[in-house]
Amino acid sequence: MGGLQKKKYESGSATNYISRNKARKKLSLSLADFRRLCILKGIYPHEPKHKKKVNKGSTAQKTFYLLKDIRFLLHEPVVGKFREYKIFVRKLRKAYGKGEWGGVEKLRENKPAYKLDHIVKERYPTFVDALRDIDDALSMCFLFSTFARTGKCHVETIQLCRRLSVEWMNYVIASRSLRKIFLSIKGIYYQAEVLGQTITWVVPYQFAHDHPTDVDYRVMATFTEFYTTLLGFVNFRLYQTLNFVYPPKLDGKAETELRAEFEEDYAMDSESYLEKLSALSASLARVISSAEDEEAELDHFPVEGDDMEKLEAREKAQQEQDRQKKLFEGLKFFLNREVPRESLAFVLRCFGAQVSWDKSLCIGSTYDVTDETITHHIVDRPSLDKQYMNRYYIQPQWVYDSVNAKMLLPVEDYFLGATLPPHLSPFVEEKEGDYVPPERLKLLALQRGERPVQDEDEEDEEEVENDDDDDDDDEEEEEEEEEEAKLKDMEEKRTRGKAISVKVTPGTAKQENRQRLEQEEKAEEKRLAIMMMKKKDKYLYDKIMFGKKRKVREANKMAAKRKALDEANKSDRKKKSKK
């Protein structure tokens, strides 16, 4: 009965959490430094299950962190660097106030700096872990690399992000890792497969944009500070796996080819080399110059049963992937001035094509528009004055659609001035019951090697089917009319009092439809099973069925919309043809 009485809020969940203000005081940091430290270390707030208990009976809104996370931060070396920087700023301000310019120079030379290498190693113990989490780092670096140098963020950060993003693109080109592309309103989505890991990132379009006022660039800059360190580690390791020099250097032969007559017109001497790398038109230098690497072949081991099927499926997928990597091999492309040069050069080089552009557009062009070996000329305007007979003039969408289709699509739909087909997302996978657009069905038929049926043929088939259905209906109606006429004759004879001659006729055995009977039996069994369900299971079953019906309704709605659109387009074409 005796013993100490337990005090309230001194055990359980109340002791596992700590408020943000208390955590900040414990670390002796300002709010901005505390937020910055949490971003770098990957520590985020937690919502307690019993918030009132944790808040000691109060219902006021507070941000809580796990106590063990804050204790973990107490021994972080970066915290000491933050404090040193605070002292540095105080001393610098005092030296400026006193006009001690010699002291100001000494302080600037001894400005405290910190590295995030140990945090990267701590957060990502293995290289595969870092690759899995590289998506956000790539998207942020590509975004910062497009920023104008207006003072919103440091120029050094913008230059570093640009350098790292160019290194990443050169690696993807060298390893031919690109798999999917999608042009969206937000930007261009890319998906690559690097060392068995699927990596997706988004690159903004090269437009001048105003910086929004409701975005905190300090928070974004803190994330970028960590992401640049992470991406530097990853790029270094990836370049090592392919035996490339890091930082990347152009191959000696390629560098002489790219040497322009007036390089100073393109960029300053300090930026000229990076501009050549960012042109994405030349190969990189290797650590040990060797002949082309032979393609690795899969080892074959004797297997039986299911393992054999899995092996065959894996081999088929590998062959398809190898074909996709060489999609544009042997083709020469020339990019016109108005097309997105960097995106197209990146995609085409990833699949083995040769690319060039006008010398006045950018550094790194390898051949002129007059070259007779050019196979495809990419143009994004309704017409072109001077055209060559030995090449295709196509719109840029053909490149992206061919990559997603894993085959060279017919160029007729992408000629100059032609109405382009819809750009379908390769990230959408249709399931059973989903609406599949006709363009997708046509693409699947092309991939299977079938000839897609034209719209007119489909209409003719539908008309023929409708005629057949009408004929069957007419035959059934005639049989019904004959039976009705017989019955009327029998009734008339009865009313007149005439004896109806009764005849015994041999019966004919009716063939039962076994398939139909089986379906009816299954339907009855299913109905009885639903009736015997528990209330909880019945509720779950109803929810599943409701979801399926809703999906069917949405698919039917989309099909009806598409039908209405096609009919409207058809009527417009008829009107135009009459005019």
Side-chain angles (χ1 to χ4, degrees), residues 149 159 263-273 275:
R149 300 175 186 185
Q159 289 174 338
E263 286 187 0
E264 62 272 7
D265 295 343
Y266 293 105
M268 296 184 293
D269 293 337
S270 58
E271 295 179 351
S272 177
Y273 205 79
E275 286 299 317

Side-chain angles (χ1 to χ4, degrees), residues 508-525:
T508 55
K510 288 184 179 180
Q511 289 184 352
E512 292 181 349
N513 193 345
R514 290 183 181 179
Q515 195 174 359
R516 188 178 174 186
L517 285 171
E518 284 176 6
Q519 286 176 356
E520 287 176 358
E521 283 176 10
K522 284 179 181 177
E524 186 65 20
E525 286 173 8

Side-chain angles (χ1 to χ4, degrees), residues 140-303:
M140 190 68 88
C141 284
F142 274 98
L143 174 65
F144 265 70
S145 67
T146 60
F147 280 176
R149 300 175 186 185
T150 55
K152 279 283 181 183
C153 54
H154 295 296
V155 176
E156 293 82 5
T157 307
I158 296 169
Q159 289 174 338
L160 178 60
C161 288
R162 177 62 180 163
R163 180 175 69 79
L164 291 170
S165 56
V166 167
E167 287 172 6
W168 171 261
M169 285 195 288
N170 274 298
Y171 168 78
V172 174
I173 288 170
S175 60
R176 298 199 181 180
S177 311
L178 196 64
R179 296 289 174 268
K180 295 177 183 177
I181 314 142
F182 180 59
L183 308 173
S184 75
I185 297 169
K186 293 179 182 177
I188 306 174
Y189 284 87
Y190 296 102
Q191 190 177 88
E193 192 177 327
V194 179
L195 302 182
Q197 301 300 317
T198 304
I199 297 165
T200 310
W201 71 98
V202 61
V203 178
Y205 294 112
Q206 296 289 332
F207 295 140
H209 56 273
D210 295 326
H211 292 286
T213 54
D214 56 343
V215 175
D216 192 348
Y217 281 90
R218 289 174 300 175
V219 174
M220 287 177 68
T222 308
F223 274 106
T224 308
E225 187 181 1
F226 175 74
Y227 286 152
T228 49
T229 311
L230 171 63
L231 192 54
F233 271 100
V234 170
N235 283 350
F236 173 71
R237 184 75 179 272
L238 290 174
Y239 272 69
Q240 274 192 328
T241 58
L242 290 183
N243 191 28
F244 283 127
V245 177
Y246 190 86
K249 291 182 180 178
L250 292 172
D251 196 9
K253 186 181 176 184
E255 193 174 357
T256 53
E257 286 176 2
L258 289 182
R259 194 165 288 154
E261 294 178 12
F262 305 104
E263 286 187 0
E264 62 272 7
D265 295 343
Y266 293 105
M268 296 184 293
D269 293 337
S270 58
E271 295 179 351
S272 177
Y273 205 79
L274 180 62
E275 286 299 317
K276 285 180 184 177
L277 275 172
S278 60
L280 306 175
S281 59
S283 54
L284 300 176
R286 293 180 180 271
V287 178
I288 302 167
S289 58
S290 58
E292 289 289 326
D293 297 332
E294 293 181 1
E295 290 185 5
E297 293 184 3
L298 291 172
D299 294 330
H300 296 278
F301 298 101
V303 287

Side-chain angles (χ1 to χ4, degrees), residues 373-509:
T373 57
I374 294 170
T375 56
H376 296 76
H377 194 133
I378 300 177
V379 185
D380 197 9
R381 56 177 74 179
S383 61
L384 205 64
D385 295 334
K386 189 178 180 182
Q387 294 188 15
Y388 295 84
M389 294 295 292
N390 58 346
R391 66 183 73 167
Y392 291 115
Y393 288 86
I394 51 173
Q395 298 185 53
Q397 191 181 317
W398 179 82
V399 175
Y400 302 110
D401 287 350
S402 295
V403 169
N404 293 334
K406 300 180 182 178
M407 61 181 289
L408 295 175
L409 294 174
V411 292
E412 293 82 13
D413 298 335
Y414 300 87
F415 282 152
L416 301 188
T419 304
L420 292 170
H423 179 57
L424 301 173
S425 172
F427 299 101
V428 175
E429 292 182 1
E430 291 87 2
K431 296 175 185 174
E432 192 178 350
D434 289 349
Y435 169 73
V436 183
E439 291 81 12
R440 180 72 179 161
L441 295 172
K442 185 181 175 183
L443 182 62
L444 291 170
L446 279 169
Q447 286 174 343
R448 289 194 298 268
E450 299 172 6
R451 180 179 164 272
V453 181
Q454 299 296 325
D455 296 339
E456 293 176 1
D457 298 344
E458 288 176 2
E459 286 174 7
D460 295 341
E461 284 176 9
E462 284 177 6
E463 286 174 7
V464 170
E465 285 175 5
N466 291 334
D467 293 341
D468 293 342
D469 293 340
D470 293 340
D471 295 340
D472 294 340
D473 294 340
D474 293 340
E475 287 174 5
E476 287 175 3
E477 285 174 4
E478 285 174 5
E479 287 175 3
E480 287 176 1
E481 284 174 2
E482 286 175 4
E483 286 178 3
E484 285 177 3
K486 285 179 183 178
L487 289 169
K488 280 181 182 178
D489 290 340
M490 289 172 73
E491 285 176 2
E492 284 175 4
K493 285 178 181 179
R494 276 179 190 162
T495 51
R496 289 174 190 167
K498 290 181 180 179
I500 301 167
S501 58
V502 180
K503 292 180 181 178
V504 179
T505 54
T508 55

Side-chain angles (χ1 to χ4, degrees), residues 255-387:
E255 193 174 357
T256 53
E257 286 176 2
L258 289 182
R259 194 165 288 154
E261 294 178 12
F262 305 104
E263 286 187 0
E264 62 272 7
D265 295 343
Y266 293 105
M268 296 184 293
D269 293 337
S270 58
E271 295 179 351
S272 177
Y273 205 79
L274 180 62
E275 286 299 317
K276 285 180 184 177
L277 275 172
S278 60
L280 306 175
S281 59
S283 54
L284 300 176
R286 293 180 180 271
V287 178
I288 302 167
S289 58
S290 58
E292 289 289 326
D293 297 332
E294 293 181 1
E295 290 185 5
E297 293 184 3
L298 291 172
D299 294 330
H300 296 278
F301 298 101
V303 287
E304 295 178 358
D306 297 338
D307 293 334
M308 187 66 183
E309 291 176 5
K310 287 177 183 176
L311 184 66
E312 286 175 0
R314 205 178 296 122
E315 283 179 2
K316 192 177 178 182
Q318 186 64 38
Q319 287 170 4
E320 189 180 335
Q321 193 172 309
D322 292 340
R323 278 198 304 272
Q324 189 190 9
K325 284 180 181 179
K326 298 174 181 178
L327 185 64
F328 298 132
E329 210 162 73
L331 302 178
K332 285 183 85 170
F333 289 80
F334 190 86
L335 309 180
N336 231 42
R337 298 181 65 86
E338 66 278 359
V339 301
R341 188 203 64 82
E342 188 171 285
S343 173
L344 283 167
F346 172 58
V347 173
L348 291 167
R349 290 266 293 124
C350 280
F351 295 95
Q354 294 181 54
V355 194
S356 187
W357 45 86
D358 197 279
K359 284 180 181 178
S360 62
L361 179 63
C362 180
I363 199 169
S365 65
T366 50
Y367 46 86
D368 293 327
V369 68
T370 54
D371 193 338
E372 292 183 358
T373 57
I374 294 170
T375 56
H376 296 76
H377 194 133
I378 300 177
V379 185
D380 197 9
R381 56 177 74 179
S383 61
L384 205 64
D385 295 334
K386 189 178 180 182
Q387 294 188 15

